[in-house]
Amino acid sequence: KFSINMTISVTDPSADVARTKVEQHVQAILAGLKRADVPAGETIATSLKIEPDQEYDSKTEKQVYKGVQVSRGIGATFYDLDKLQQFLRTLATSKEVQVSGITTGLRDEAKLREQLRGKAIESTQAKAKSIAAAYHASLAGLYSVSDVAPQFQYGISKGNWPGRYEYDSYRGALEDADP
């Protein structure tokens, strides 16, 4: 999946003029998303943000009022790269309409995570049985299960965990520091 975020921002002395321009841009973007077959549930438009816009004038050393800035954000998720590219070709970006980012992700991330968790459980069980057999012991039950990494501030320091690196200014080299 491909998620795009856009920012629409207009500054004008008249708040109504700025608001009207922002809404025109928003309607044009929403129409473009509809033409690109983005489902309505995959589109998010933020509410209006209205605030004064000022700029620092270095000659006078004062803030100069530029007008009222009205802005909104729009986010959408595409499940087809061709549709995203089609939308981007028709999107008229400007000082007022900007793409603030595109991120990628997995369509079925939750399902994939569940499958990977199952594989991790199988692997852990096999390792535990192997270790127990090496010590001629049997497994009696489960002690603890966690989906998160260990917290090293409690003194856990065994294993091949990445260390922190600090610059040693006396020797001019990086050294592995104790966590």
Tab-separated table of all heavy atoms in Angstrom, residues 21-60:
chain	number	residue	atom	x	y	z
A	21	LYS	N	-10.184	29.520	-1.049
A	21	LYS	CA	-9.134	28.927	-1.889
A	21	LYS	C	-8.748	27.534	-1.393
A	21	LYS	O	-8.566	26.604	-2.184
A	21	LYS	CB	-7.898	29.826	-1.926
A	21	LYS	CG	-8.050	31.065	-2.785
A	21	LYS	CD	-6.736	31.838	-2.793
A	21	LYS	CE	-6.813	33.084	-3.652
A	21	LYS	NZ	-5.533	33.826	-3.632
A	22	VAL	N	-8.612	27.398	-0.078
A	22	VAL	CA	-8.264	26.092	0.494
A	22	VAL	C	-9.340	25.075	0.138
A	22	VAL	O	-9.041	23.962	-0.310
A	22	VAL	CB	-8.054	26.186	2.025
A	22	VAL	CG1	-8.034	24.803	2.660
A	22	VAL	CG2	-6.770	26.926	2.340
A	23	GLU	N	-10.598	25.443	0.314
A	23	GLU	CA	-11.692	24.509	0.018
A	23	GLU	C	-11.738	24.159	-1.468
A	23	GLU	O	-12.051	23.013	-1.820
A	23	GLU	CB	-13.030	25.067	0.499
A	23	GLU	CG	-13.176	25.055	2.009
A	23	GLU	CD	-12.924	23.675	2.628
A	23	GLU	OE1	-13.451	22.662	2.113
A	23	GLU	OE2	-12.184	23.613	3.620
A	24	GLN	N	-11.423	25.091	-2.339
A	24	GLN	CA	-11.369	24.780	-3.773
A	24	GLN	C	-10.275	23.754	-4.066
A	24	GLN	O	-10.483	22.801	-4.821
A	24	GLN	CB	-11.134	26.062	-4.590
A	24	GLN	CG	-12.326	26.979	-4.633
A	24	GLN	CD	-12.003	28.348	-5.247
A	24	GLN	OE1	-10.839	28.717	-5.413
A	24	GLN	NE2	-13.053	29.105	-5.559
A	25	HIS	N	-9.108	23.943	-3.462
A	25	HIS	CA	-8.015	22.982	-3.631
A	25	HIS	C	-8.414	21.601	-3.078
A	25	HIS	O	-8.157	20.572	-3.707
A	25	HIS	CB	-6.740	23.456	-2.936
A	25	HIS	CG	-6.058	24.615	-3.584
A	25	HIS	ND1	-5.669	24.629	-4.903
A	25	HIS	CD2	-5.668	25.822	-3.074
A	25	HIS	CE1	-5.083	25.780	-5.189
A	25	HIS	NE2	-5.070	26.520	-4.086
A	26	VAL	N	-9.037	21.599	-1.908
A	26	VAL	CA	-9.449	20.336	-1.283
A	26	VAL	C	-10.439	19.604	-2.183
A	26	VAL	O	-10.303	18.392	-2.407
A	26	VAL	CB	-10.046	20.579	0.127
A	26	VAL	CG1	-10.761	19.343	0.646
A	26	VAL	CG2	-8.951	21.012	1.094
A	27	GLN	N	-11.418	20.314	-2.706
A	27	GLN	CA	-12.411	19.671	-3.577
A	27	GLN	C	-11.753	19.111	-4.836
A	27	GLN	O	-12.103	18.013	-5.283
A	27	GLN	CB	-13.529	20.650	-3.928
A	27	GLN	CG	-14.404	21.040	-2.749
A	27	GLN	CD	-14.945	19.838	-1.989
A	27	GLN	OE1	-15.446	18.887	-2.578
A	27	GLN	NE2	-14.824	19.875	-0.664
A	28	ALA	N	-10.799	19.827	-5.398
A	28	ALA	CA	-10.093	19.339	-6.591
A	28	ALA	C	-9.288	18.078	-6.263
A	28	ALA	O	-9.274	17.116	-7.048
A	28	ALA	CB	-9.180	20.429	-7.147
A	29	ILE	N	-8.636	18.057	-5.117
A	29	ILE	CA	-7.854	16.879	-4.711
A	29	ILE	C	-8.773	15.689	-4.464
A	29	ILE	O	-8.500	14.565	-4.921
A	29	ILE	CB	-6.991	17.194	-3.470
A	29	ILE	CG1	-5.877	18.173	-3.849
A	29	ILE	CG2	-6.415	15.915	-2.860
A	29	ILE	CD1	-5.117	18.737	-2.666
A	30	LEU	N	-9.878	15.913	-3.759
A	30	LEU	CA	-10.819	14.821	-3.492
A	30	LEU	C	-11.395	14.256	-4.785
A	30	LEU	O	-11.562	13.033	-4.917
A	30	LEU	CB	-11.928	15.286	-2.552
A	30	LEU	CG	-11.497	15.618	-1.119
A	30	LEU	CD1	-12.664	16.178	-0.324
A	30	LEU	CD2	-10.891	14.397	-0.432
A	31	ALA	N	-11.668	15.133	-5.756
A	31	ALA	CA	-12.155	14.665	-7.056
A	31	ALA	C	-11.078	13.829	-7.755
A	31	ALA	O	-11.385	12.792	-8.358
A	31	ALA	CB	-12.564	15.854	-7.926
A	32	GLY	N	-9.824	14.250	-7.660
A	32	GLY	CA	-8.719	13.485	-8.252
A	32	GLY	C	-8.553	12.129	-7.591
A	32	GLY	O	-8.289	11.123	-8.264
A	33	LEU	N	-8.730	12.065	-6.273
A	33	LEU	CA	-8.652	10.796	-5.557
A	33	LEU	C	-9.784	9.864	-5.979
A	33	LEU	O	-9.583	8.658	-6.137
A	33	LEU	CB	-8.675	11.025	-4.046
A	33	LEU	CG	-7.435	11.710	-3.454
A	33	LEU	CD1	-7.667	12.108	-2.010
A	33	LEU	CD2	-6.213	10.807	-3.581
A	34	LYS	N	-10.951	10.445	-6.179
A	34	LYS	CA	-12.103	9.642	-6.631
A	34	LYS	C	-11.845	9.089	-8.031
A	34	LYS	O	-12.115	7.915	-8.299
A	34	LYS	CB	-13.374	10.484	-6.606
A	34	LYS	CG	-14.623	9.688	-6.884
A	34	LYS	CD	-15.865	10.528	-6.694
A	34	LYS	CE	-17.103	9.681	-6.936
A	34	LYS	NZ	-18.322	10.429	-6.698
A	35	ARG	N	-11.293	9.916	-8.933
A	35	ARG	CA	-10.963	9.452	-10.291
A	35	ARG	C	-9.911	8.340	-10.262
A	35	ARG	O	-9.881	7.478	-11.135
A	35	ARG	CB	-10.465	10.613	-11.160
A	35	ARG	CG	-11.559	11.526	-11.672
A	35	ARG	CD	-11.041	12.506	-12.720
A	35	ARG	NE	-9.926	13.331	-12.287
A	35	ARG	CZ	-10.031	14.459	-11.591
A	35	ARG	NH1	-11.231	14.922	-11.260
A	35	ARG	NH2	-8.958	15.136	-11.240
A	36	ALA	N	-9.055	8.360	-9.242
A	36	ALA	CA	-8.023	7.337	-9.107
A	36	ALA	C	-8.539	6.112	-8.342
A	36	ALA	O	-7.759	5.236	-7.970
A	36	ALA	CB	-6.797	7.918	-8.398
A	37	ASP	N	-9.841	6.071	-8.110
A	37	ASP	CA	-10.512	4.932	-7.464
A	37	ASP	C	-10.052	4.671	-6.028
A	37	ASP	O	-9.997	3.521	-5.585
A	37	ASP	CB	-10.338	3.652	-8.295
A	37	ASP	CG	-10.983	3.761	-9.664
A	37	ASP	OD1	-12.041	4.420	-9.767
A	37	ASP	OD2	-10.420	3.201	-10.628
A	38	VAL	N	-9.717	5.723	-5.302
A	38	VAL	CA	-9.381	5.558	-3.890
A	38	VAL	C	-10.699	5.457	-3.121
A	38	VAL	O	-11.538	6.361	-3.208
A	38	VAL	CB	-8.547	6.755	-3.365
A	38	VAL	CG1	-8.329	6.638	-1.864
A	38	VAL	CG2	-7.225	6.836	-4.094
A	39	PRO	N	-10.921	4.368	-2.385
A	39	PRO	CA	-12.163	4.228	-1.621
A	39	PRO	C	-12.309	5.358	-0.595
A	39	PRO	O	-11.314	5.819	-0.022
A	39	PRO	CB	-12.017	2.872	-0.924
A	39	PRO	CG	-10.944	2.153	-1.670
A	39	PRO	CD	-10.047	3.206	-2.238
A	40	ALA	N	-13.534	5.782	-0.358
A	40	ALA	CA	-13.789	6.887	0.575
A	40	ALA	C	-13.213	6.605	1.961
A	40	ALA	O	-12.726	7.508	2.640
A	40	ALA	CB	-15.285	7.151	0.680
A	41	GLY	N	-13.228	5.364	2.389
A	41	GLY	CA	-12.694	5.002	3.700
A	41	GLY	C	-11.181	5.085	3.791
A	41	GLY	O	-10.617	4.976	4.865
A	42	GLU	N	-10.516	5.294	2.669
A	42	GLU	CA	-9.054	5.389	2.640
A	42	GLU	C	-8.581	6.831	2.479
A	42	GLU	O	-7.430	7.075	2.150
A	42	GLU	CB	-8.482	4.528	1.506
A	42	GLU	CG	-8.759	3.045	1.653
A	42	GLU	CD	-8.063	2.427	2.863
A	42	GLU	OE1	-7.087	3.013	3.374
A	42	GLU	OE2	-8.508	1.354	3.293
A	43	THR	N	-9.494	7.781	2.663
A	43	THR	CA	-9.170	9.201	2.540
A	43	THR	C	-9.493	9.892	3.860
A	43	THR	O	-10.559	9.678	4.428
A	43	THR	CB	-9.982	9.860	1.406
A	43	THR	OG1	-9.696	9.167	0.188
A	43	THR	CG2	-9.629	11.317	1.254
A	44	ILE	N	-8.568	10.717	4.321
A	44	ILE	CA	-8.772	11.493	5.542
A	44	ILE	C	-8.458	12.953	5.232
A	44	ILE	O	-7.395	13.258	4.696
A	44	ILE	CB	-7.858	11.013	6.680
A	44	ILE	CG1	-8.177	9.569	7.043
A	44	ILE	CG2	-7.980	11.924	7.892
A	44	ILE	CD1	-7.200	8.956	8.036
A	45	ALA	N	-9.395	13.833	5.575
A	45	ALA	CA	-9.176	15.275	5.429
A	45	ALA	C	-9.302	15.903	6.811
A	45	ALA	O	-10.297	15.680	7.504
A	45	ALA	CB	-10.186	15.874	4.459
A	46	THR	N	-8.308	16.672	7.201
A	46	THR	CA	-8.344	17.316	8.512
A	46	THR	C	-9.261	18.531	8.475
A	46	THR	O	-9.622	19.025	7.409
A	46	THR	CB	-6.939	17.765	8.958
A	46	THR	OG1	-6.469	18.783	8.058
A	46	THR	CG2	-5.968	16.599	8.977
A	47	SER	N	-9.616	19.015	9.635
A	47	SER	CA	-10.432	20.221	9.711
A	47	SER	C	-9.562	21.444	9.431
A	47	SER	O	-8.335	21.371	9.422
A	47	SER	CB	-11.101	20.334	11.081
A	47	SER	OG	-10.125	20.306	12.097
A	48	LEU	N	-10.221	22.568	9.204
A	48	LEU	CA	-9.501	23.810	8.913
A	48	LEU	C	-8.678	24.268	10.106
A	48	LEU	O	-9.126	24.172	11.256
A	48	LEU	CB	-10.490	24.930	8.575
A	48	LEU	CG	-11.137	24.911	7.206
A	48	LEU	CD1	-12.195	25.997	7.130
A	48	LEU	CD2	-10.110	25.091	6.113
A	49	LYS	N	-7.515	24.774	9.819
A	49	LYS	CA	-6.670	25.394	10.832
A	49	LYS	C	-6.507	26.841	10.386
A	49	LYS	O	-6.076	27.101	9.262
A	49	LYS	CB	-5.323	24.686	10.897
A	49	LYS	CG	-4.384	25.261	11.930
A	49	LYS	CD	-3.085	24.469	11.932
A	49	LYS	CE	-2.086	25.075	12.879
A	49	LYS	NZ	-0.795	24.365	12.816
A	50	ILE	N	-6.871	27.778	11.243
A	50	ILE	CA	-6.809	29.202	10.913
A	50	ILE	C	-5.953	29.902	11.959
A	50	ILE	O	-6.199	29.772	13.157
A	50	ILE	CB	-8.216	29.828	10.879
A	50	ILE	CG1	-9.086	29.090	9.865
A	50	ILE	CG2	-8.152	31.315	10.561
A	50	ILE	CD1	-10.551	29.496	9.881
A	51	GLU	N	-4.929	30.632	11.475
A	51	GLU	CA	-4.039	31.344	12.389
A	51	GLU	C	-3.382	32.511	11.666
A	51	GLU	O	-3.303	32.523	10.436
A	51	GLU	CB	-2.982	30.399	12.947
A	51	GLU	CG	-2.114	29.755	11.892
A	51	GLU	CD	-1.230	28.646	12.455
A	51	GLU	OE1	-1.221	28.425	13.670
A	51	GLU	OE2	-0.527	28.026	11.664
A	52	PRO	N	-2.895	33.482	12.415
A	52	PRO	CA	-2.198	34.601	11.761
A	52	PRO	C	-0.865	34.126	11.194
A	52	PRO	O	-0.232	33.227	11.730
A	52	PRO	CB	-1.993	35.609	12.891
A	52	PRO	CG	-2.125	34.836	14.152
A	52	PRO	CD	-2.977	33.654	13.858
A	53	ASP	N	-0.458	34.732	10.093
A	53	ASP	CA	0.829	34.401	9.470
A	53	ASP	C	1.719	35.632	9.563
A	53	ASP	O	1.341	36.714	9.111
A	53	ASP	CB	0.616	33.988	8.013
A	53	ASP	CG	1.875	33.399	7.390
A	53	ASP	OD1	2.844	33.133	8.130
A	53	ASP	OD2	1.882	33.201	6.166
A	54	GLN	N	2.881	35.431	10.173
A	54	GLN	CA	3.825	36.532	10.349
A	54	GLN	C	5.182	36.130	9.818
A	54	GLN	O	5.503	34.951	9.720
A	54	GLN	CB	3.930	36.916	11.827
A	54	GLN	CG	2.621	37.394	12.402
A	54	GLN	CD	2.754	37.766	13.865
A	54	GLN	OE1	3.792	37.587	14.482
A	54	GLN	NE2	1.688	38.298	14.431
A	55	GLU	N	5.967	37.129	9.504
A	55	GLU	CA	7.301	36.909	8.972
A	55	GLU	C	8.240	37.909	9.642
A	55	GLU	O	7.887	39.074	9.827
A	55	GLU	CB	7.264	37.129	7.465
A	55	GLU	CG	8.556	36.945	6.744
A	55	GLU	CD	8.348	37.127	5.248
A	55	GLU	OE1	8.022	36.145	4.577
A	55	GLU	OE2	8.503	38.275	4.781
A	56	TYR	N	9.432	37.464	9.964
A	56	TYR	CA	10.399	38.351	10.606
A	56	TYR	C	11.118	39.171	9.549
A	56	TYR	O	11.653	38.633	8.581
A	56	TYR	CB	11.402	37.535	11.431
A	56	TYR	CG	12.405	38.391	12.164
A	56	TYR	CD1	12.021	39.101	13.291
A	56	TYR	CD2	13.720	38.494	11.719
A	56	TYR	CE1	12.938	39.886	13.974
A	56	TYR	CE2	14.641	39.271	12.388
A	56	TYR	CZ	14.247	39.974	13.515
A	56	TYR	OH	15.152	40.746	14.188
A	57	ASP	N	11.118	40.479	9.729
A	57	ASP	CA	11.821	41.391	8.818
A	57	ASP	C	13.152	41.747	9.482
A	57	ASP	O	13.185	42.438	10.511
A	57	ASP	CB	10.985	42.653	8.576
A	57	ASP	CG	11.632	43.606	7.580
A	57	ASP	OD1	12.837	43.452	7.276
A	57	ASP	OD2	10.921	44.512	7.101
A	58	SER	N	14.252	41.262	8.890
A	58	SER	CA	15.565	41.469	9.503
A	58	SER	C	16.016	42.933	9.450
A	58	SER	O	16.823	43.361	10.264
A	58	SER	CB	16.611	40.573	8.842
A	58	SER	OG	16.688	40.853	7.466
A	59	LYS	N	15.491	43.706	8.500
A	59	LYS	CA	15.872	45.121	8.415
A	59	LYS	C	15.272	45.925	9.563
A	59	LYS	O	15.945	46.735	10.182
A	59	LYS	CB	15.427	45.707	7.078
A	59	LYS	CG	16.202	45.161	5.903
A	59	LYS	CD	15.749	45.778	4.599
A	59	LYS	CE	16.512	45.150	3.438
A	59	LYS	NZ	16.063	45.638	2.144
A	60	THR	N	13.987	45.704	9.820
A	60	THR	CA	13.322	46.437	10.905
A	60	THR	C	13.404	45.698	12.228
A	60	THR	O	13.065	46.247	13.269
A	60	THR	CB	11.844	46.693	10.558
A	60	THR	OG1	11.173	45.427	10.463
A	60	THR	CG2	11.700	47.487	9.278
